[in-house]
Amino acid sequence: MCRQLKQQVRLYLTDEALSYASQETKKAGTSLSQTIECFIQEHRKEEADNATNTTGRPKSAALLR
């Protein structure tokens, strides 16, 4: 298991972002902090995947076709 370092931060989110994060929190049954952390980790993974993509387009671009 990962060692966690807790640090208090203040985030300013738009109403839309807060609403989305709150909905995802309810679906996952996790805290808002955990949900936002998962969003960040997923984004980092997607960036890493895009960096190894040899087509020159982000993988998400294929979904838009």
Side-chain angles (χ1 to χ4, degrees), residues 44-59:
R44 290 179 67 196
K45 183 183 181 314
E46 184 177 306
E47 282 184 336
D49 289 347
N50 287 340
T52 59
N53 182 2
T54 58
T55 65
R57 292 188 312 249
K59 288 185 178 184

Side-chain angles (χ1 to χ4, degrees), residues 11-65:
L11 296 174
Y12 296 97
L13 301 174
T14 63
D15 291 341
E16 182 181 0
L18 181 58
S19 175
Y20 180 74
S22 296
Q23 291 171 9
E24 293 300 310
T25 295
K26 289 176 186 172
K27 285 182 198 174
T30 59
S31 70
L32 186 59
S33 294
Q34 289 172 316
T35 300
I36 292 171
E37 184 175 348
C38 285
F39 288 158
I40 293 167
Q41 289 174 350
E42 289 171 11
H43 179 75
R44 290 179 67 196
K45 183 183 181 314
E46 184 177 306
E47 282 184 336
D49 289 347
N50 287 340
T52 59
N53 182 2
T54 58
T55 65
R57 292 188 312 249
K59 288 185 178 184
S60 57
L63 300 174
L64 299 175
R65 289 201 249 163

